[in-house]
Amino acid sequence: MRRSLAGVALAVTSMVALSFLIPLGALVMSLVKEQSVTAAEQRAAALAPVLTLTTDPSALRESAAGLDSAEHLVIHLPDAQSLGDSQAPVKLLERAQQGRESISQKTPGGWICLQPVVLPGDRVAVIENFVPDEDLTRGVKASWAVMLLLAVGLVGGSVLVADRLGAKVVRSSKKLAQASRTLGQGNLDTRVEPMGPKELRDAGDAFNAMAHRMTELLAIERELVADLSHRLRTPLTALHLASERMAGTPESARVEAAVHALESELRAIIAAARTPLAVGPMGHGMRSAETSTVRQATATVPTGPSGSSDCPRSEVAEVVRRRTAFWAVLAEQQDRACSLDLTQEPTAVGLSDDDIAAVVDALIGNVFSHTPAGTAFAVRVARTAQAVELVVEDSGPGIPEPDRALSRGSSTGSSGLGLDIARRAAAVTGGSMRIAQARQGGAHITVVFALAPSLRSERGPRGSRRRAGWWPRKR
């Protein structure tokens, strides 16, 4: 923008300067020429009274010597005698003598002025004054140079002023754009200092108002989530009492474990909603340390030299182990064979425990939602040189349209939210997600997380894994 404004100022000012310079230059030349010719005519007229008094050559030379530029002054006497070197054409001189006509016109090499003087006895003398071309243009180039310097100074000044104004506008625009990007990345405390022209100041005020209103709306929404979650405590308490009444029955332990797990999840939701708003890598609110304690998960966070946290970090294998253990209880109730295969190599990625847990819950939850009871499934975590692969496969009917399944709301009987959560989590780390057909004929979903930068050059012993498995109990 600065370059454009400077270019416009340069073009406009140059046009204005040229529109004045050209006629002013012509006017200066005309004035200098007119002044030179007028001075020559005045010198000829000043010598005419002397000529009427005497025609003595010595007296006339003495009188002419007292005038300026006398070297070009010539007196033509009636007896054809000329005092000085004449530059006038013969025909022009005869015309002035015979016609007694004052002549002032351009001749080769300069300008000629002829002034006839009638002497006693009806005789005619002619005073000639020749003005060379250099006298006709004397001082013109200097005047043109001064006007050109003034024009260059005017153009340069206007370009400089336009550049300064443009710099102020560009600076305001860049700060507003940077604040917008920062707000879009999740920093809700971003504000901009209004500056620049009135329009940009208004835009800055509008941006601040929008950011403030956005923060208010998100806070209201989170408060509403906390309130709605708190309402679930009443039916949860009823379930807890019912499980106590079932004490001693074979199902009481499983029901009690499920109730406790649900209560822990509910406390985690309420704590997260009550936490001051901060945006995590996946774009949702990050949970506080209290919430992580409720979930019984402590994220491993890398620190810089000062000890401050730089980014979230989580061990995928450990989170998968905990969440699969939770789902194994429900799998046992539905007679689903569940197997778990975990690598013992480090599996740290740039996501929080909650983000990884959301991915695992979404993938395993899809197995329970879209396959009949008794369908077996397997969970596996593998480590490569640059990534961690989370694989969930089942022996159900599979996914007929994998590409369509990744779009929210486009799958029949499903919102598509679970797979989209997994895809976005992988994308945050620089990974990807693939859907294929499992060996058992069902769905085979692979989520690839890029390793944390500190682990990408490390690799433990190949094939080092630990296995865990759950099978439905015999009844």
Side-chain angles (χ1 to χ4, degrees):
M1 180 180 288
R2 291 177 60 182
R3 184 175 299 178
S4 299
L5 289 176
V8 171
L10 176 62
V12 172
T13 314
S14 299
M15 292 175 61
V16 173
L18 287 175
S19 65
F20 281 96
L21 280 178
I22 294 175
L24 280 177
L27 180 61
V28 167
M29 178 178 284
S30 176
L31 287 175
V32 170
K33 178 181 177 181
E34 184 178 350
Q35 288 175 357
S36 299
V37 173
T38 302
E41 293 175 349
Q42 289 176 349
R43 284 193 294 270
L47 193 59
V50 178
L51 192 58
T52 58
L53 296 176
T54 180
T55 57
D56 181 48
S58 59
L60 291 175
R61 286 192 182 95
E62 186 179 354
S63 299
L67 300 175
D68 296 333
S69 302
E71 66 273 12
H72 299 298
L73 195 63
V74 180
I75 302 174
H76 300 276
L77 297 174
D79 55 0
Q81 183 182 2
S82 297
L83 303 180
D85 296 330
S86 176
Q87 301 289 334
V90 177
K91 292 183 179 181
L92 197 62
L93 186 59
E94 292 177 352
R95 175 183 162 189
Q97 287 178 339
Q98 297 174 5
R100 301 180 182 183
E101 175 185 358
S102 297
I103 299 175
S104 178
Q105 67 179 45
K106 184 74 173 65
T107 60
W111 192 275
I112 194 74
C113 295
L114 298 177
Q115 179 66 43
V117 179
V118 180
L119 302 178
D122 199 26
R123 293 179 303 165
V124 177
V126 177
I127 302 173
E128 172 192 340
N129 197 354
F130 178 74
V131 183
D133 286 336
E134 56 268 19
D135 291 345
L136 293 175
T137 58
R138 182 171 298 169
V140 172
K141 291 183 179 180
S143 300
W144 284 358
V146 172
M147 289 189 294
L148 182 60
L149 288 177
L150 290 176
V152 171
L154 176 63
V155 172
S158 64
V159 171
L160 181 61
V161 171
D163 181 72
R164 292 297 88 201
L165 292 176
K168 193 173 183 180
V169 173
V170 169
R171 193 181 307 114
S172 303
S173 303
K174 284 184 177 180
K175 287 188 176 181
L176 185 59
Q178 180 62 34
S180 300
R181 284 192 292 268
T182 305
L183 182 64
Q185 292 170 356
N187 187 354
L188 300 181
D189 293 330
T190 301
R191 297 296 184 272
V192 64
E193 181 181 356
M195 58 183 298
K198 182 179 182 301
E199 292 76 7
L200 284 177
R201 292 199 302 271
D202 292 342
D205 292 335
F207 174 85
N208 292 338
M210 177 194 68
H212 181 71
R213 183 56 178 166
M214 182 186 300
T215 305
E216 287 184 345
L217 292 176
L218 288 174
I220 293 173
E221 181 180 357
R222 289 164 62 82
E223 192 68 24
L224 180 60
V225 170
D227 293 343
L228 293 177
S229 301
H230 192 271
R231 294 181 186 179
L232 295 176
R233 286 181 177 246
T234 300
L236 184 62
T237 302
L239 286 176
H240 188 70
L241 295 175
S243 66
E244 290 179 352
R245 288 196 297 268
M246 294 172 59
T249 64
E251 299 292 332
S252 62
R254 288 195 294 271
V255 172
E256 186 68 22
V259 169
H260 281 298
L262 181 59
E263 187 174 6
S264 296
E265 291 294 326
L266 190 58
R267 285 200 301 269
I269 293 174
I270 295 175
R274 299 288 187 183
T275 302
L277 189 60
V279 177
M282 291 179 62
H284 54 69
M286 296 175 62
R287 299 178 186 272
S288 63
E290 178 186 354
T291 309
S292 300
T293 303
V294 172
R295 271 193 176 272
Q296 300 177 352
T298 304
T300 303
V301 182
T303 58
S306 63
S308 60
S309 298
D310 294 329
C311 62
R313 182 169 169 175
S314 175
E315 286 288 338
V316 176
E318 178 61 25
V319 178
V320 171
R321 183 192 63 77
R322 292 199 307 265
R323 298 313 301 159
T324 307
F326 169 80
W327 285 98
V329 178
L330 183 58
E332 186 177 356
Q333 295 177 3
Q334 296 187 1
D335 293 328
R336 295 178 183 268
C338 171
S339 65
L340 178 63
D341 187 4
L342 300 177
T343 179
Q344 291 184 343
E345 300 179 48
T347 56
V349 298
L351 290 173
S352 66
D353 282 11
D354 293 326
D355 294 333
I356 301 297
V359 173
V360 178
D361 291 344
L363 297 181
I364 299 179
N366 280 344
V367 175
F368 282 83
S369 300
H370 302 292
T371 62
T375 301
F377 68 94
V379 181
R380 177 167 57 90
V381 176
R383 161 80 185 271
T384 65
Q386 301 292 329
V388 177
E389 294 184 353
L390 169 63
V391 179
V392 177
E393 58 181 352
D394 60 69
S395 58
I399 300 176
E401 298 180 87
D403 294 336
R404 187 179 178 189
L406 291 175
S407 301
R408 293 192 181 195
S410 61
S411 301
T412 303
S414 172
S415 65
L417 181 59
L419 294 179
D420 185 67
I421 290 175
R423 180 188 60 77
R424 288 190 296 114
V428 165
T429 66
S432 60
M433 189 175 90
R434 303 187 300 271
I435 300 178
Q437 186 175 5
R439 288 172 296 179
Q440 299 90 342
H444 180 98
I445 301 176
T446 303
V447 182
V448 180
F449 303 101
L451 280 171
S454 60
L455 294 181
R456 291 180 186 176
S457 59
E458 302 177 5
R459 185 67 198 270
R462 291 182 178 271
S464 177
R465 295 179 179 175
R466 61 176 180 271
R467 287 181 172 271
W470 292 269
W471 296 268
R473 297 178 180 176
K474 301 295 184 181
R475 301 192 181 188

